Amino acid sequence: MRKPTANRPATILLTALAPVSWGTTYAVTTEFLPADRPLFTGLMRALPAGLVLLGLARVLPRGAWWGKAAVLGALNIGAFFPLLFLSAYRLPGGMAAVVGSVGPLIVVGLSAVLLGQRPTARSVLTGLVAAFGVSLVVLKAAGALDAVGVLAALAATASMSVGTVLTKRWGRPEGVGPLALTAWQLTAGGLLIAPLALIVEGAPPALDGRAIGGYLYLALANTAVAYWLWFRGIGRLTATQVTFLGPLSPLTAAVVGWAALGQTLTPVQLTGMALAFGATVAGQLGVRPPVRTSFGSAGQVSVPSDLTPARARR
């Protein structure tokens, strides 16, 4: 067991870059990529990123970790990516992000059951404030909700919740860093998505220069680098600190919509941004320094909702 490490602001800021990057996903998807291809888009995010990181890490799973990596890859990537894109395609005005914003609360409950960690009143209250703030930012008036979209959003949140709790329960093998763990999950998830994409959506669509650039951004910066920073942060910060960085994703999406897509921010949205950002900051305060081990530690982890719409699709 290693010595406790101090909570360094630089580590928090680096970890925060992950949800900030995920907040650009929706704008890139709608402005650069082919429409209505959730499986293919999930595949192009996961598999190239996983192979790049696998080449850099040059470490393969051993023993039981072949099965564990497959399970984590299926939950955190293979199921989460397609379901997240499907919900964003079918739901209006940010509903997918609202469902995803309750992920930390789900993880608190799962942590109590699977990790024996009692939830605190502060973590529950902060999670509720963050979810309420996100809803003010992204939720817009709409007609009847699409049942398939709602179920996909719920399934995506549940899948990532279970996956992140198992990640904390299983930790990492001795001598294996977050780069290798991220590579295993992205590769396993991408390999799971590949046959489904071919069966359900058929041959890959024709790609122009904009689409190729969009997929390169999603695979490299938005996925390979962002997920490595995320898992690195989980190992260096307390679980509570990481949990409440998640709201930065929908906040970034709203800012991108305002700055790059010419959207307006209403007073209600600005209030929601202040509440969500305040919850993010509160989640970094008043926590004890973590004890780092090569096998991780039990705790709660945020469920990033990285496809927060920057504009209402309907």
Side-chain angles (χ1 to χ4, degrees):
M1 182 177 295
R2 302 178 187 177
K3 297 179 180 179
T5 54
N7 294 328
R8 293 174 295 180
T11 302
I12 296 174
L13 292 174
L14 283 174
T15 307
L17 291 178
V20 168
S21 173
W22 295 330
T24 67
T25 304
Y26 184 83
V28 172
T29 301
T30 56
E31 298 299 318
F32 293 90
L33 305 184
D36 300 322
R37 301 299 294 262
L39 288 170
F40 180 75
T41 299
L43 171 63
M44 294 299 291
R45 280 192 72 184
L47 190 55
L51 293 175
V52 168
L53 294 185
L54 195 61
L56 293 174
R58 302 176 67 85
V59 177
L60 292 176
R62 296 184 299 272
W65 268 96
W66 283 103
K68 291 181 179 180
V71 171
L72 294 178
L75 291 170
N76 291 332
I77 306 298
F80 178 67
F81 276 10
L83 289 169
L84 188 64
F85 278 99
L86 178 61
S87 65
Y89 281 131
R90 299 185 69 102
L91 291 179
M95 177 58 71
V98 174
V99 175
S101 70
V102 303
L105 296 174
I106 296 176
V107 173
V108 169
L110 289 173
S111 297
V113 174
L114 297 179
L115 304 176
Q117 182 185 27
R118 289 186 356 186
T120 65
R122 174 176 177 168
S123 65
V124 173
L125 179 60
T126 307
L128 290 172
V129 172
F132 180 65
V134 169
S135 70
L136 293 181
V137 174
V138 301
L139 190 58
K140 303 179 186 299
L145 296 177
D146 181 87
V148 174
V150 172
L151 289 175
L154 289 172
T157 303
S159 178
M160 190 67 168
S161 297
V162 175
T164 49
V165 171
L166 286 179
T167 300
K168 295 297 291 185
R169 182 181 179 88
W170 291 340
R172 300 193 303 268
E174 184 70 40
V176 173
L179 186 69
L181 183 64
T182 306
W184 298 348
Q185 294 189 53
L186 288 170
T187 302
L191 291 175
L192 176 65
I193 297 171
L196 295 176
L198 184 61
I199 294 171
V200 176
E201 297 179 350
L207 303 179
D208 56 17
R210 287 173 59 84
I212 292 173
Y215 281 126
L216 284 174
Y217 169 77
L218 289 183
L220 298 179
N222 184 269
T223 302
V225 174
Y227 272 87
W228 170 69
L229 288 172
W230 188 252
F231 285 115
R232 175 182 177 273
I234 290 174
R236 299 189 178 205
L237 301 171
T238 65
T240 301
Q241 285 177 299
V242 177
T243 296
F244 291 105
L245 293 175
L248 293 176
S249 178
L251 297 186
T252 300
V255 172
V256 169
W258 168 75
L261 303 180
Q263 299 164 11
T264 59
L265 292 174
T266 67
V268 171
Q269 287 177 301
L270 292 174
T271 300
M273 292 177 72
L275 288 173
F277 186 76
T280 298
V281 173
Q284 313 308 311
L285 303 176
V287 293
R288 288 176 293 182
V291 176
R292 294 177 58 193
T293 72
S294 58
F295 290 86
S297 57
Q300 60 198 65
V301 186
S302 176
V303 179
S305 180
D306 61 343
L307 247 181
T308 307
R311 66 182 180 190
R313 290 190 67 91
R314 310 180 181 179

